Amino acid sequence: VTRVEYAYPVGSDRWLEARFHPSADGVTLVTTQISERKRAEDALRTRARQQEAVAQLGREALLGNDLGILMDLATAVVSDTLGDARSMILEFLPDRGQLRLRAGVGWQPGSVGHALADGDASSLFGHALTSASPLIVEDLATRTGLRIPPLLTEHAVVERHDLPAGHDLLAL
């Protein structure tokens, strides 16, 4: 028996499995739709990749490495795991009421460690920092009521997800 999996039409998310069964009279072809199985397999691979990323970060944290190194690794792992071009960790500077880009992937050279953003409640980052639940923004261009940080507009970020990560850190 020869088994072949393929998308049909080519490039679609509709998957078929063709099984060729040789016999004395020739070949019997059995085709089965396997789209649901392929989606489940993709979901399992994604979940395994995410779990490995969490385990990697846990191992590094247990080694007691420098917090800066751990944050750099965390942003790299998140960026790689989610397939995003950018990720960041912002540190709240209470004496200034601002957030500093503490670690990140995909930002302009010189931004990490130096870029600052407003941290007050009327800014997007400040609102996310003080919120008890995640702030999800589908499209920054249509978001009203909160100031969009120049850090995002200067880097052509159009979509973002803020997850509170503690009282003085914010992760994107």
Side-chain angles (χ1 to χ4, degrees):
V1 177
T2 302
R3 191 173 79 84
V4 178
E5 294 179 357
Y6 59 97
Y8 183 81
V10 174
S12 75
D13 64 350
R14 182 173 179 244
W15 283 87
L16 300 173
E17 174 184 74
R19 284 179 278 146
F20 301 89
H21 299 268
S23 67
D25 297 327
V27 175
T28 302
L29 170 64
V30 177
T31 304
T32 307
Q33 221 235 51
I34 59 168
S35 300
E36 193 61 37
R37 186 185 86 203
K38 294 298 270 186
R39 281 191 286 278
E41 289 170 352
D42 286 346
L44 282 173
R45 279 191 294 277
T46 298
R47 184 71 173 156
R49 200 171 58 248
Q50 291 170 344
Q51 288 177 343
E52 175 54 33
V54 169
Q56 179 184 7
L57 290 172
R59 285 190 300 271
E60 291 298 322
L62 288 173
L63 291 173
N65 284 334
D66 175 70
L67 183 59
I69 293 170
L70 188 60
M71 285 190 219
D72 289 340
L73 177 63
T75 56
V77 167
V78 166
S79 182
D80 182 54
T81 302
L82 298 179
D84 283 345
R86 294 187 183 96
S87 64
M88 69 163 65
I89 295 176
L90 297 169
E91 177 183 25
F92 184 60
L93 306 172
D95 57 321
R96 300 166 94 175
Q98 293 180 310
L99 295 143
R100 178 178 61 207
L101 178 56
R102 175 79 185 262
V105 171
W107 303 95
Q108 293 173 356
S111 296
V112 174
H114 302 286
L116 297 172
D118 290 334
D120 60 274
S122 63
S123 71
L124 187 67
F125 289 150
H127 178 76
L129 187 63
T130 60
S131 176
S133 59
L135 169 66
I136 299 174
V137 178
E138 297 296 331
D139 182 357
L140 286 175
T142 61
R143 179 67 185 196
T144 58
L146 297 172
R147 288 190 324 280
I148 307 303
L151 176 64
L152 299 182
T153 56
E154 290 165 3
H155 287 85
V157 174
V158 294
E159 176 184 297
R160 58 181 274 102
H161 305 274
D162 287 326
L163 300 174
H167 1 312
D168 57 353
L169 294 174
L170 177 69
L172 163 80

